[in-house]
Amino acid sequence: MHKMKFIPVVAMAIALASCGSGRTVDAPPQKSAEELAYISDDSPIKKARLDLAISPLFDDPAMAETRALLVMHRGKIIAERYGEGYDADTRFISWSMAKSFTGTLIGFLVSDGRLVLDDPAPVPAWQRSGDPRGDITLRQLLHMSSGLDHTEVGEEGGKTLYEADTQRMLFLDGSADMAGYAEARTLEAQPGEKFEYSTATSMILADIITRTLTKSTNPEVRRKITSRFIRGRLLEPLDMESTFFEFDANGTFLGGSIIQSTARDYAKFGEFLRHNGARKGAQHLPVSWVKFMKTSSENDPAYGGHIWLNKRRPEGRNQVLFPDNGPETIFAALGHLGQQIVVSPEQKLTVVRLGKTQDDVLGPMSAQIGKVMALFPIEN
């Protein structure tokens, strides 16, 4: 378990002059050393200052409900706070942060020579003569540019919530064989032509991983062999003991949406990518693969190889992260309801935020994460 030592904070008086009136505005109430104990003595930022940036995530109604916040700097936990009813042993659902885990797992098989980035994706249902889906490459799937007709949410294309592919695949008629449902969709655009974020695409990648590992169609065999691969190549090397992946009835892991893990384990994954696929001096994933993940795709500068980047998106698309308030090299695994693993290599920083904030009001929360990270200088 991570241990921290704490010392009292010297109280500060902060006076802010109001606009030309000569009056002052009272400072926020000073917190005791006990109240600031979630911030480590190792923090390079003064406890009171860091607390002022973190506290709104828990206390401001505009941020909705933050359940966990963890800040790592130079590989050490310097701040760790939980909402009522949650703690360091609580497993939190990843939602779409799982996509970045899937992108990483694909990298292991590419580095092993078992998959090729620019070869047609090995999906049996697409291999019939004349099927245009046979031209979809692994790279296009990782870049969310397959051209498949996948509707992520109901508002897209005029569909209702329960007509959207994500809901149908995860919870309704596609749930028994999620990858099969995703792979059966037809093309709506030429492969590589346009960006369309899609949980169904990540399920296809999860199925590709599974079928690369085993030719068995037995769901239990598929689950066991894939679990062994995930544990041996990722979870055990990263010491992510609390983490487990969910599987559907066909034995395919839910690579687009559902991992269960603690905030500390999510931070270990972020640190793994911050160190370009290395941990404790051992290079587990090639640096070249992590570089690929962090390189903008052709159809959206803010999206790489199944990971989000701190860059401006094309006009008409919702902005993610905070491109005006942090290095362009920041990248993140992001999930539904505000799950975030945000990594800044230049600041030697990994921030994990877990909670429940509706997707249409994520802006204030995400911006506040940016303010927390902006406190830390860029390092050589």
Side-chain angles (χ1 to χ4, degrees), residues 2 85 244:
H2 179 79
F244 68 91

Side-chain angles (χ1 to χ4, degrees), residues 218-237:
N218 182 296
E220 184 64 13
V221 172
R222 284 165 57 89
R223 185 188 65 78
K224 285 184 176 179
I225 289 178
T226 306
S227 293
R228 189 182 308 135
F229 169 75
I230 293 171
R231 181 151 297 280
R233 297 299 290 272
L234 186 67
L235 302 186
E236 289 180 356

Side-chain angles (χ1 to χ4, degrees), residues 162-177:
Y162 298 105
E163 291 174 326
D165 290 305
T166 304
Q167 282 74 24
R168 290 182 59 187
M169 181 183 71
L170 291 176
F171 308 115
L172 300 172
D173 54 310
S175 62
D177 181 5

Side-chain angles (χ1 to χ4, degrees), residues 245-259:
F245 285 59
E246 300 276 5
F247 288 76
D248 71 3
N250 196 47
T252 308
F253 73 94
L254 274 58
S257 56
I258 301 179
I259 294 172

